[in-house]
Amino acid sequence: MSNFINEFKEFAVKGNAIDMAVGVIIGGAFGEIVNSIVNDIIMPPIGWLIGGVNFSDLKVELPKVVLDSGIELAPATINYGSFVQTIINFIIIALCVFLMVKGMANLKKSKKAEEDAAPAAPAEPSNEEKLLTEIRDLLAKK
């Protein structure tokens, strides 16, 4: 049992597990922000443009069911407006993740380009330049 606890401690304290936990927490908060953007900012103007429709209220009501005992069940509904909002949420989240990954890739490229563009060693002077330097140095001594 203590071996299991030690393995768990090692896993929980490992950097990857902590990074993953932070990512999940930030991802959950980001999802709530996107839901708010879609529900509170994007969908109301779209609903207004198409005649004051509230997308969260869009649904298809299936026929009522009456049991043999005479009890009438509440009709089931297909809430396609909520589904449309969920699709828009997904598209926005996917776009944001794509832009983040693309930005990270560009940062890596620019960092690699900076490393590759390190100043090159100066080229060795030609024989003519060496001779001219020697002549200059000799003339300077006289």
Side-chain angles (χ1 to χ4, degrees):
M1 185 66 171
S2 68
N3 189 27
F4 174 78
I5 293 171
N6 288 335
E7 286 180 22
F8 178 72
K9 283 181 186 176
E10 184 179 325
F11 167 77
V13 177
K14 201 181 235 184
N16 293 344
I18 293 171
D19 292 344
M20 183 177 68
V22 169
V24 168
I25 292 168
I26 291 175
F30 182 72
E32 289 181 28
I33 290 170
V34 171
N35 283 334
S36 177
I37 288 172
V38 170
N39 296 335
D40 303 329
I41 296 174
I42 294 175
M43 296 310 283
I46 291 175
W48 177 77
L49 286 173
I50 60 173
V53 174
N54 183 357
F55 273 84
S56 60
D57 293 338
L58 294 177
K59 60 187 169 192
V60 172
E61 194 170 295
L62 299 176
K64 294 179 184 179
V65 176
V66 179
L67 300 176
D68 291 338
S69 60
I71 298 174
E72 191 174 289
L73 299 177
T77 59
I78 299 173
N79 302 319
Y80 66 91
S82 177
F83 179 69
V84 169
Q85 286 184 328
T86 303
I87 289 173
I88 293 172
N89 285 357
F90 171 78
I91 291 170
I92 291 173
I93 290 173
L95 177 65
C96 290
V97 169
F98 171 75
L99 293 174
M100 277 188 354
V101 169
K102 190 170 176 80
M104 296 293 277
N106 287 340
L107 284 176
K108 284 185 179 181
K109 280 183 187 177
S110 66
K111 186 176 180 183
K112 183 164 175 47
E114 288 175 9
E115 290 172 359
D116 292 344
E124 188 175 322
S126 66
N127 288 337
E128 294 168 348
E129 290 175 339
K130 288 179 186 176
L131 285 172
L132 288 171
T133 303
E134 288 177 19
I135 294 171
R136 181 197 64 203
D137 292 342
L138 288 172
L139 289 173
K141 287 181 184 178
K142 290 187 178 184

